[in-house]
Amino acid sequence: MQLAKAGLGTRIRTQITILVFLTGVTSSGLVALLFLILQSGTGTDLRVQMTANRVAPLLRTLDALAPASRALVVENLRDQVIQIDFGRLVPTSEGTHGRALPKISEALTAALGGRIRIAVAVEDSSGRLRLGAQMGDGQEFVVRLAQPAPPPLVFPMLPPLLIFVALSIALSLWAGLRIVAPLTRFAAAVERFGLDGADAPLPEEGPAEIRRATGAFNRMRERILRLVGDRTRMMMAISHDLRTPLTRLRLRTEDIDDAELRSRMRRDMDVMENSIADAVTSLRQSSVPENFERTDLASLVGTICDEFTDAGFSVEFAAAERVAGWVRPLAVSRAVSNLVQNATKYGTRISVHVSKPASNMARIEVVDDGPGIPAHERQAVIRPFYRMDPARMDGGGFGLGLAIADDVARSHDGQLTLLSNQPNGLCARLDLSISARPLA
């Protein structure tokens, strides 16, 4: 229940994913910052180097040729990346509305050895370069780069960024399989842990911390099951040993002539037998699992009410609709019987109502007109063996009726709620989940 209520940001899977992703992004940022520091002030130098690598071999080749041979070479060297034409580059006549780049002109001239001079360098709005070059003999050329030069920082950093993102995703998946999966199994085992010992010990796997926690849980599970087993055997032995002398006492009361004394002794023995029966019932419910079955709750509860009516009690039953679902029928019968029996002890008129407040929930309400239970005592009376004031102790018993009903409710992912009935009395509301379930 608590795990279902946890927010997305509180899940360890989300936290590990965020941590790994931020680590990757931070690493990428640090690498980019280092690259920026190393390349600080050299953006122009990087672009000059890239441009020189493309243009310098062609310009040096043309400069080495005789002017008469250059036209043929220029025509043959024309491709889709670099275009070279005779003439002078005038920025305003190109119609590109570009901006002059004097630093690149000077840097390229120096990179070419000084014999070939870059007179004009112009960049248009799309980032393409136009160069006006002058050979050593004075002949001028226009060099056009058909492709824009890549940004000096983004292009080198793109592959590392993609690598870090891929690593972040891979590490997140690994963390989920390696760390989160064992934790999920551990939490599920804790949630479904029962006193019947039906579940096998949890495999000890995963990181060392999770293995230690799993081992501690398995040892705790064994101790609890051992204690429950000892308690069950002890109570069964006590109940068996008490029934034999009770039977002898009941037989001996037949020899008592005083009818009033004989009646009081029988009532005391009935109280003892009911107490023993409640204790045995509580033990059996916690130690013997029952399978979930598709059950018509309206019919089940109606049958219980008819039995109390046949016994002489005033019990009214009503069902708003047919309520059917997956429950443990014997456990629900025991819980409803305890609630109705409690109501008959302290009230004269009892009404039982079955409804369906939600598609996967069933509600059973047992209402009496007795003295009721004060608001500050309603949670306490659900605890096993809790005894309230003498006004509600006349029925005897160990105080297990409400505790048994509460256990049944919680085993059905529901709850038992005690409410005030106006003008007087108590309303015991039993909410049960009736959605489909696997076997116990």
Side-chain angles (χ1 to χ4, degrees):
M1 290 291 183
Q2 297 299 327
L3 293 177
K5 297 178 182 178
L8 183 61
T10 62
R11 294 176 180 244
I12 190 170
R13 184 192 300 273
T14 305
Q15 294 176 358
I16 292 176
T17 302
I18 294 174
L19 178 62
V20 174
F21 180 76
L22 290 180
T23 301
V25 172
T26 303
S27 302
S28 302
L30 291 175
V31 172
L33 180 61
L34 179 61
F35 187 86
L36 182 62
I37 293 174
L38 294 176
Q39 298 293 335
S40 178
T42 63
T44 300
D45 295 338
L46 181 61
R47 191 163 191 182
V48 168
Q49 182 180 357
M50 297 173 64
T51 305
N53 291 337
R54 290 182 176 183
V55 177
L58 291 178
L59 294 182
R60 290 194 183 99
T61 301
L62 293 175
D63 186 58
L65 295 174
S69 303
R70 290 173 180 168
L72 180 60
V73 174
V74 167
E75 183 67 27
N76 292 332
L77 289 177
R78 188 184 302 272
D79 58 26
Q80 296 181 353
V81 178
I82 299 177
Q83 297 179 1
I84 300 179
D85 297 303
F86 293 102
R88 175 180 296 180
L89 175 63
V90 180
T92 55
S93 65
E94 292 292 310
T96 59
H97 303 288
R99 60 188 183 93
L101 303 174
K103 290 185 178 181
I104 289 185
S105 300
E106 298 172 0
L108 278 176
T109 298
L112 291 170
R115 177 175 172 79
I116 303 173
R117 187 173 68 88
I118 303 299
V120 179
V122 177
E123 181 183 46
D124 64 16
S125 59
S126 63
R128 295 179 175 86
L129 280 178
R130 304 289 188 269
L131 303 176
Q134 187 179 43
M135 301 299 168
D137 58 5
Q139 190 173 16
E140 294 181 333
F141 291 87
V142 177
V143 182
R144 295 177 175 85
L145 299 180
Q147 295 180 355
L153 289 178
V154 175
F155 178 76
M157 289 308 303
L158 185 58
L161 284 173
L162 294 177
I163 292 174
F164 274 114
V165 170
L167 286 176
S168 299
I169 296 175
L171 288 175
S172 300
L173 294 176
W174 176 85
L177 294 175
R178 177 68 179 171
I179 301 176
V180 179
L183 279 177
T184 302
R185 289 192 292 270
F186 179 79
V190 173
E191 286 285 341
R192 66 173 181 265
F193 173 67
L195 300 181
D196 50 17
D199 295 327
L202 191 64
E204 299 182 16
E205 56 188 9
E209 293 80 0
I210 298 178
R211 291 199 302 270
R212 287 199 298 268
T214 303
F217 170 76
N218 287 334
R219 290 189 295 272
M220 179 193 69
R221 172 183 174 276
E222 293 175 1
R223 289 194 298 268
I224 292 176
L225 292 177
R226 188 165 54 250
L227 290 173
V228 170
D230 293 342
R231 183 202 65 175
T232 302
R233 286 189 293 271
M234 180 187 68
M235 291 297 297
M236 290 296 185
I238 292 175
S239 64
H240 178 270
D241 292 343
L242 288 178
R243 288 182 186 276
T244 301
L246 273 176
T247 303
R248 290 199 299 264
L249 286 174
R250 190 177 294 277
L251 293 174
R252 289 171 183 171
T253 56
E254 301 297 330
D255 298 332
I256 299 176
D257 296 332
D258 190 335
E260 183 179 355
L261 177 60
R262 185 169 60 250
S263 177
R264 289 199 301 268
M265 293 183 67
R266 286 177 177 174
R267 284 198 301 269
D268 290 340
M269 285 184 288
D270 289 339
V271 169
M272 294 179 65
E273 286 204 16
N274 291 334
S275 299
I276 294 172
D278 287 345
V280 173
T281 298
S282 178
L283 289 174
R284 285 177 176 171
Q285 180 175 323
S286 61
S287 60
V288 181
E290 180 188 358
N291 292 336
F292 284 90
E293 298 179 7
R294 180 78 177 176
T295 306
D296 184 354
L297 285 176
S299 176
L300 178 68
V301 176
T303 302
I304 296 173
C305 294
D306 290 340
E307 293 175 354
F308 278 92
T309 301
D310 295 340
F313 297 102
S314 176
V315 179
E316 298 179 358
F317 170 73
E321 55 182 319
R322 182 178 179 272
V323 181
W326 291 87
V327 297
R328 291 185 170 110
L330 294 180
V332 173
S333 298
R334 191 178 302 120
V336 175
S337 297
N338 287 341
L339 295 179
V340 176
Q341 185 175 11
N342 281 349
T344 59
K345 292 178 182 177
Y346 311 112
T348 57
R349 297 183 60 85
I350 297 93
S351 61
V352 181
H353 185 259
V354 178
S355 61
K356 194 175 183 180
S359 60
N360 63 334
M361 293 295 296
R363 174 170 293 172
I364 304 171
E365 292 181 319
V366 179
V367 182
D368 64 61
D369 58 353
I373 299 177
H376 66 277
E377 293 272 11
R378 290 173 190 163
Q379 284 298 114
V381 296
I382 296 178
R383 296 199 302 263
F385 309 110
Y386 181 84
R387 305 306 298 267
M388 215 176 67
D389 59 275
R392 293 186 68 95
M393 290 175 59
D394 297 337
F398 283 154
L400 293 173
L402 293 177
I404 292 173
D406 183 60
D407 288 340
V408 171
R410 287 189 287 109
S411 68
H412 289 77
D413 292 335
Q415 63 178 354
L416 173 66
T417 308
L418 302 181
L419 305 171
S420 177
N421 180 43
Q422 299 299 329
N424 60 282
L426 181 71
C427 174
R429 176 180 294 172
L430 189 67
D431 288 322
L432 307 172
S433 173
I434 57 175
S435 55
R437 299 163 184 269
L439 295 179

